[in-house]
Amino acid sequence: MIAVPILFLIGHLIFGLKIEGKEYVRQQKGKGAVLVCNHAHYFDCTFLGLLVAPRKAIFTSLERLFYVPVVSHLIYFFGSVPVPSSPSRMRSFLQQMAEAVQKGRLLCIYPEGELIPYCKTLRDCKDGAFTIAARAGVPVIPVVLLQRPRKGLWKLLKRKPCFTLKVGKPLTVSSEENTRRAARKLYQESTEWMREQLEKAAS
């Protein structure tokens, strides 16, 4: 996979990326899952791409970004699909994504929606990612992008903080629960873990 060396260079050498908990993604070998992550950097899709490698995930992006020069090429490269801006098309989109993860794909979603660079807190999240997981009967894997102080050589090479991508345990719900209740449970457990990790890193 030619993209992996590129992702490695971008993540580790440019941003000092460390990944913790990659084994939780490896456990899903050949299986589908929904990864949710806070949206705090322009290149966080490359970090997630490195996390799931050698598998190739589906990324969701705001529909308007597909019309922005340069950015559109980047998100297409990483296999992004547009999140419909029209509520009338959202039901079909959620069903398509549920079918994809049922077939064994990994789906990466930023439930906060908008990017705020270097934000250290978890903002209000939308429930689409959790509805997809509940409908498809696949786990949600919570991920947080954490900032850490520069040390050693990084103090000389870069002014911005380095990053750690921390992965939590896959979260599942009983197949007996209805979709709405299951999605709500996944939402609560995922966001609680993500918020806790961000608060620890900021303290």
Side-chain angles (χ1 to χ4, degrees):
M1 182 179 178
I2 193 170
V4 174
I6 298 174
L7 297 179
F8 182 89
L9 289 172
I10 293 174
H12 292 282
L13 299 185
I14 298 177
F15 297 107
L17 179 68
K18 291 183 179 180
I19 297 178
E20 299 178 1
K22 187 167 183 173
E23 65 272 13
Y24 293 129
V25 176
R26 289 175 177 160
Q27 289 171 4
Q28 303 302 313
K29 184 177 181 180
K31 301 177 183 179
V34 177
L35 285 75
V36 294
C37 184
N38 57 314
H39 205 4
H41 198 275
Y42 292 104
F43 283 91
D44 49 22
C45 62
T46 68
F47 304 160
L48 290 169
L50 194 57
L51 168 64
V52 303
R55 297 179 68 177
K56 188 175 181 181
I58 301 171
F59 288 84
T60 60
S61 297
L62 295 175
E63 194 171 44
R64 66 172 183 269
L65 295 180
F66 285 78
Y67 302 98
V68 178
V70 181
V71 173
S72 60
H73 294 292
L74 181 63
I75 59 181
Y76 269 123
F77 176 79
F78 285 104
S80 294
V81 296
V83 177
S85 55
S86 169
S88 63
R89 291 184 287 136
M90 183 57 71
R91 180 176 296 182
S92 175
F93 171 78
L94 294 176
Q95 184 58 35
Q96 289 173 6
M97 294 299 98
E99 291 172 359
V101 294
Q102 279 181 325
K103 293 177 181 177
R105 296 298 304 275
L106 295 176
L107 175 64
C108 296
I109 296 181
Y110 302 107
E112 294 171 311
E114 295 283 350
L115 164 66
I116 297 184
Y118 298 98
C119 181
K120 295 183 179 181
T121 60
L122 185 68
R123 291 163 279 135
D124 290 339
C125 294
K126 298 176 176 61
D127 60 6
F130 311 98
T131 298
I132 291 169
R135 185 176 296 180
V138 301
V140 169
I141 303 178
V143 184
V144 284
L145 182 62
L146 306 173
Q147 300 170 48
R148 67 178 197 277
R150 305 180 308 277
K151 293 182 180 179
L153 186 61
W154 288 110
K155 277 192 173 183
L156 302 175
L157 296 180
K158 64 195 301 288
R159 292 175 295 173
K160 297 291 186 179
C162 294
F163 290 103
T164 297
L165 200 62
K166 186 171 184 178
V167 186
K169 294 180 180 179
L171 302 171
T172 58
V173 291
S174 171
S175 58
E176 297 177 359
E177 293 191 71
N178 66 48
T179 299
R180 181 173 295 182
R181 189 179 300 114
R184 190 61 191 172
K185 184 177 180 181
L186 290 170
Y187 177 99
Q188 291 174 340
E189 292 183 359
S190 298
T191 55
E192 181 179 336
W193 181 85
M194 294 167 72
R195 188 170 287 108
E196 181 180 298
Q197 303 309 310
L198 286 162
E199 289 175 352
K200 284 182 180 178
S203 61

